[in-house]
Amino acid sequence: MKISTSELLNELKNTTEEYLHFAEMLSLKTEHDLNFRISAESWSILDCLEHLNRYGDFYIPEISRAISSAGKSSSTFFKPGILGNYFAKSMLPKENLNKMKTLKAMNPIHSNLDKGVVDTFIKQQEKMLELLEKAQKVDLEKTKTNISISKLIRLKLGDTFRFVIYHNQRHVEQIKRILTD
């Protein structure tokens, strides 16, 4: 798969804007509603957003660092890496959401969460939009980022954006299911 860099970044920007607006809508809900759990071991809306915030706390500075140290790009296409494409695609929600284990540090269940979690998520989405804009000027293939699970693996910047934004998509879908239950 080879995709136009601007097409990929525009798609990711549109998706991120959608999550930003969705979170703004969530900010109107009560803390009680945001903390609702379907069962004792299921995640609430705030748990889902806090989980994403924890990943954002790693990836947003990492992406920012990679962009600021990257040279100017002359490339107009992006070809995903094998590992990066695998990670990104594994995050996309399936019809029957496949459950995945999360790292203990990234699991917010039974944390004491308040509406500040929604505000943080909104700020992170706004920052992600800024980074997607800045990424128009860098090579999404040659620019590499570290990943949260191993210091030994580095992904192409385009794959990192896809992974983070698809991961957001996965949990936004989870939140939508919580809202309909």
Side-chain angles (χ1 to χ4, degrees):
M1 165 188 123
K2 199 172 191 181
I3 185 170
S4 148
T5 300
S6 61
E7 189 179 324
L8 173 63
L9 291 172
N10 285 336
E11 174 191 316
L12 295 174
K13 269 194 260 183
N14 290 340
T15 303
T16 301
E17 285 171 352
E18 185 183 315
Y19 304 153
L20 175 61
H21 297 310
F22 182 70
E24 288 168 342
M25 181 272 303
L26 290 175
S27 71
L28 303 175
K29 296 206 167 291
T30 67
E31 221 163 84
H32 178 267
D33 290 342
L34 295 170
N35 274 305
F36 169 78
R37 294 179 194 287
I38 295 168
S39 71
E41 292 308 309
S42 65
W43 283 6
S44 68
I45 292 168
L46 289 181
D47 289 330
C48 293
L49 292 178
E50 175 63 14
H51 172 72
L52 295 176
N53 290 346
R54 291 177 185 189
Y55 274 97
D57 287 345
F58 175 84
Y59 282 103
I60 289 172
E62 181 60 24
I63 291 168
S64 184
R65 181 206 54 76
I67 290 172
S68 63
S69 63
K72 297 284 181 234
S73 175
S74 57
S75 176
T76 56
F77 286 94
F78 173 72
K79 187 176 190 300
I82 293 169
L83 195 57
N85 198 41
Y86 170 79
F87 285 149
K89 284 186 168 183
S90 73
M91 286 299 114
L92 284 170
K94 315 285 185 286
E95 192 162 320
N96 291 326
L97 193 63
N98 51 325
K99 292 197 176 217
M100 299 176 99
K101 280 281 194 195
T102 191
L103 299 172
K104 189 173 183 180
M106 299 299 187
N107 188 344
I109 196 158
H110 304 304
S111 298
N112 188 14
L113 303 174
D114 61 30
K115 286 180 85 167
V117 170
V118 181
D119 298 334
T120 300
F121 184 75
I122 289 170
K123 286 183 182 97
Q124 285 188 355
Q125 298 317 291
E126 291 168 344
K127 183 64 178 172
M128 187 62 78
L129 288 170
E130 288 174 29
L131 293 171
L132 287 163
E133 193 58 44
K134 288 179 181 177
Q136 302 268 8
K137 298 177 177 78
V138 301
D139 191 320
L140 298 183
E141 285 188 44
K142 290 183 180 161
T143 307
K144 306 280 186 177
T145 66
N146 291 315
I147 65 169
S148 61
I149 59 170
S150 172
K151 296 202 182 302
L152 303 174
I153 301 171
R154 293 173 56 80
L155 295 182
K156 296 176 179 185
L157 177 59
D159 286 330
T160 302
F161 272 127
R162 291 171 62 230
F163 169 81
V164 172
I165 293 168
Y166 293 173
H167 184 228
N168 288 351
Q169 182 178 353
R170 172 185 199 80
H171 291 289
V172 164
E173 291 302 316
Q174 183 179 5
I175 291 168
K176 287 177 180 175
R177 280 195 309 283
I178 293 167
L179 288 169
T180 59
D181 279 351

